[in-house]
Amino acid sequence: MTVTGHYTSPLGEILLAADERGLTGLWLEGQKSDPAGLPAAHEERRTPILAEAARWLDVYFSGQEPDFLPPLHPHGSEFQLAVWELLLQIPYGQTTTYGALARQLAARRGLSRMSAQAVGGAVGHNRISVMIPCHRVVGTNGSLTGYAGGLDKKIRLLELEHADMTGLFIPQRGTAL
Protein backbone atom coordinates (compact mmCIF):
# COMPACT_ATOMS: atom_id res chain seq x y z
CA MET A 1 0.00 0.00 0.00
CA THR A 2 1.27 3.44 -0.89
CA VAL A 3 1.06 6.13 1.76
CA THR A 4 1.56 9.84 1.21
CA GLY A 5 2.48 12.85 3.26
CA HIS A 6 3.14 16.52 2.72
CA TYR A 7 6.20 18.55 3.61
CA THR A 8 6.36 22.34 3.58
CA SER A 9 9.68 23.49 2.13
CA PRO A 10 11.17 26.84 1.14
CA LEU A 11 10.34 25.83 -2.45
CA GLY A 12 6.68 25.16 -1.67
CA GLU A 13 4.76 22.05 -0.78
CA ILE A 14 6.37 18.68 -1.39
CA LEU A 15 4.35 15.49 -1.80
CA LEU A 16 6.04 12.38 -0.44
CA ALA A 17 5.00 8.80 -1.22
CA ALA A 18 6.26 5.55 0.26
CA ASP A 19 5.51 1.87 0.42
CA GLU A 20 6.56 -0.61 3.10
CA ARG A 21 10.14 -0.73 1.70
CA GLY A 22 10.98 2.93 1.20
CA LEU A 23 10.28 6.28 -0.37
CA THR A 24 8.78 5.90 -3.86
CA GLY A 25 8.13 9.53 -4.76
CA LEU A 26 9.01 13.12 -3.95
CA TRP A 27 7.31 15.77 -6.07
CA LEU A 28 7.76 19.52 -5.85
CA GLU A 29 4.63 21.65 -6.03
CA GLY A 30 3.90 22.56 -9.66
CA GLN A 31 6.24 19.93 -11.07
CA LYS A 32 5.59 19.04 -14.74
CA SER A 33 4.97 15.38 -13.92
CA ASP A 34 3.09 16.11 -10.68
CA PRO A 35 2.73 13.40 -9.30
CA ALA A 36 3.70 10.84 -11.94
CA GLY A 37 3.73 7.27 -10.76
CA LEU A 38 1.49 7.78 -7.73
CA PRO A 39 -0.98 4.88 -7.56
CA ALA A 40 -4.64 5.85 -7.48
CA ALA A 41 -5.05 3.73 -4.35
CA HIS A 42 -3.11 5.48 -1.60
CA GLU A 43 -3.78 6.96 1.78
CA GLU A 44 -2.32 9.90 3.63
CA ARG A 45 -0.78 9.06 6.98
CA ARG A 46 2.50 9.37 8.85
CA THR A 47 4.87 6.41 8.74
CA PRO A 48 8.46 5.94 9.95
CA ILE A 49 9.72 6.13 6.34
CA LEU A 50 7.88 9.41 5.69
CA ALA A 51 9.12 10.76 9.04
CA GLU A 52 12.71 9.88 8.08
CA ALA A 53 12.23 11.58 4.70
CA ALA A 54 10.93 14.71 6.44
CA ARG A 55 13.93 14.65 8.79
CA TRP A 56 16.27 14.43 5.76
CA LEU A 57 14.46 17.38 4.14
CA ASP A 58 14.75 19.40 7.39
CA VAL A 59 18.53 18.94 7.36
CA TYR A 60 18.81 19.58 3.61
CA PHE A 61 16.73 22.77 3.61
CA SER A 62 18.67 24.07 6.61
CA GLY A 63 21.60 24.35 4.17
CA GLN A 64 23.49 21.32 5.45
CA GLU A 65 24.41 18.10 3.68
CA PRO A 66 22.42 15.26 5.26
CA ASP A 67 24.67 12.45 6.50
CA PHE A 68 21.95 9.83 6.02
CA LEU A 69 19.41 8.83 3.40
CA PRO A 70 15.97 7.43 4.19
CA PRO A 71 15.14 4.06 2.65
CA LEU A 72 14.45 4.58 -1.06
CA HIS A 73 12.38 2.28 -3.26
CA PRO A 74 12.41 3.80 -6.75
CA HIS A 75 10.36 2.04 -9.42
CA GLY A 76 11.72 1.95 -12.96
CA SER A 77 13.39 -0.10 -15.64
CA GLU A 78 16.81 -1.67 -15.11
CA PHE A 79 18.32 1.14 -17.18
CA GLN A 80 16.55 3.86 -15.18
CA LEU A 81 17.61 2.30 -11.88
CA ALA A 82 21.24 2.22 -13.09
CA VAL A 83 21.09 5.91 -14.03
CA TRP A 84 19.45 6.85 -10.73
CA GLU A 85 22.18 4.98 -8.86
CA LEU A 86 24.72 7.20 -10.65
CA LEU A 87 22.74 10.29 -9.61
CA LEU A 88 23.07 9.24 -5.97
CA GLN A 89 26.85 9.34 -6.39
CA ILE A 90 27.01 12.98 -7.50
CA PRO A 91 28.51 14.81 -4.51
CA TYR A 92 26.49 17.44 -2.68
CA GLY A 93 27.14 20.87 -4.14
CA GLN A 94 28.60 19.57 -7.39
CA THR A 95 27.21 19.12 -10.88
CA THR A 96 27.85 16.71 -13.70
CA THR A 97 26.65 16.38 -17.27
CA TYR A 98 24.40 13.94 -19.07
CA GLY A 99 27.41 13.03 -21.22
CA ALA A 100 29.58 12.26 -18.19
CA LEU A 101 26.85 10.04 -16.77
CA ALA A 102 26.53 8.27 -20.13
CA ARG A 103 30.29 7.62 -20.20
CA GLN A 104 30.20 6.26 -16.63
CA LEU A 105 27.30 3.95 -17.41
CA ALA A 106 28.92 2.74 -20.65
CA ALA A 107 32.13 1.92 -18.77
CA ARG A 108 30.20 0.00 -16.10
CA ARG A 109 28.43 -2.02 -18.76
CA GLY A 110 31.55 -2.64 -20.87
CA LEU A 111 30.24 -0.59 -23.79
CA SER A 112 32.22 1.78 -25.97
CA ARG A 113 29.54 4.48 -25.68
CA MET A 114 26.09 5.27 -24.36
CA SER A 115 23.56 7.84 -25.50
CA ALA A 116 23.50 10.97 -23.35
CA GLN A 117 19.92 11.49 -24.56
CA ALA A 118 18.91 8.06 -23.22
CA VAL A 119 20.51 8.94 -19.90
CA GLY A 120 18.65 12.26 -19.97
CA GLY A 121 15.38 10.42 -20.49
CA ALA A 122 16.05 8.26 -17.43
CA VAL A 123 17.06 11.31 -15.38
CA GLY A 124 13.80 12.97 -16.40
CA HIS A 125 11.76 10.03 -15.12
CA ASN A 126 13.24 10.18 -11.61
CA ARG A 127 10.26 10.22 -9.23
CA ILE A 128 12.30 10.92 -6.09
CA SER A 129 13.67 14.34 -6.95
CA VAL A 130 15.98 16.22 -4.57
CA MET A 131 16.98 13.01 -2.71
CA ILE A 132 17.99 11.34 -5.97
CA PRO A 133 19.65 14.56 -7.10
CA CYS A 134 18.68 15.01 -10.74
CA HIS A 135 18.99 18.79 -10.17
CA ARG A 136 22.79 18.30 -10.19
CA VAL A 137 22.82 17.30 -13.87
CA VAL A 138 23.41 19.98 -16.49
CA GLY A 139 24.04 20.10 -20.21
CA THR A 140 27.59 19.68 -21.52
CA ASN A 141 27.68 23.38 -22.44
CA GLY A 142 26.51 24.45 -18.97
CA SER A 143 22.84 24.69 -19.87
CA LEU A 144 20.52 24.32 -16.88
CA THR A 145 18.18 22.07 -18.76
CA GLY A 146 15.78 19.25 -18.05
CA TYR A 147 14.33 19.76 -14.58
CA ALA A 148 10.68 18.81 -14.13
CA GLY A 149 10.44 20.95 -10.99
CA GLY A 150 11.26 24.04 -13.03
CA LEU A 151 14.48 25.92 -13.61
CA ASP A 152 13.82 28.34 -10.77
CA LYS A 153 13.75 25.44 -8.30
CA LYS A 154 16.79 23.76 -9.87
CA ILE A 155 18.74 26.99 -9.43
CA ARG A 156 17.56 27.41 -5.84
CA LEU A 157 18.58 23.82 -5.00
CA LEU A 158 22.04 24.32 -6.49
CA GLU A 159 22.40 27.64 -4.66
CA LEU A 160 21.32 25.99 -1.40
CA GLU A 161 24.14 23.47 -1.89
CA HIS A 162 26.59 26.31 -2.69
CA ALA A 163 27.31 24.73 -6.08
CA ASP A 164 29.66 26.60 -8.38
CA MET A 165 27.26 28.24 -10.83
CA THR A 166 30.05 29.71 -12.98
CA GLY A 167 29.40 28.90 -16.62
CA LEU A 168 25.84 27.65 -16.03
CA PHE A 169 23.05 29.41 -17.89
CA ILE A 170 19.32 29.26 -18.57
CA PRO A 171 18.66 28.11 -22.15
CA GLN A 172 16.60 30.35 -24.40
CA ARG A 173 14.58 27.42 -25.77
CA GLY A 174 14.24 23.75 -24.97
CA THR A 175 12.75 21.18 -22.66
CA ALA A 176 13.71 23.09 -19.52
CA LEU A 177 11.39 25.99 -20.25
Side-chain angles (χ1 to χ4, degrees), residues 120-138:
V123 170
H125 284 89
N126 171 26
R127 293 185 188 118
I128 309 175
S129 65
V130 183
M131 287 186 195
I132 299 179
C134 49
H135 63 278
R136 296 180 189 153
V137 184
V138 300

Side-chain angles (χ1 to χ4, degrees), residues 92-159:
Y92 179 91
Q94 295 185 29
T95 60
T96 192
T97 66
Y98 297 100
L101 291 173
R103 286 188 295 279
Q104 281 182 275
L105 190 55
R108 285 185 179 192
R109 293 185 166 198
L111 301 171
S112 60
R113 63 181 303 280
M114 172 80 53
S115 165
Q117 288 177 322
V119 168
V123 170
H125 284 89
N126 171 26
R127 293 185 188 118
I128 309 175
S129 65
V130 183
M131 287 186 195
I132 299 179
C134 49
H135 63 278
R136 296 180 189 153
V137 184
V138 300
T140 301
N141 64 354
S143 173
L144 291 167
T145 185
Y147 194 63
L151 286 184
D152 59 326
K153 291 178 180 157
K154 182 172 188 163
I155 291 167
R156 288 181 63 192
L157 291 170
L158 291 172
E159 289 173 343

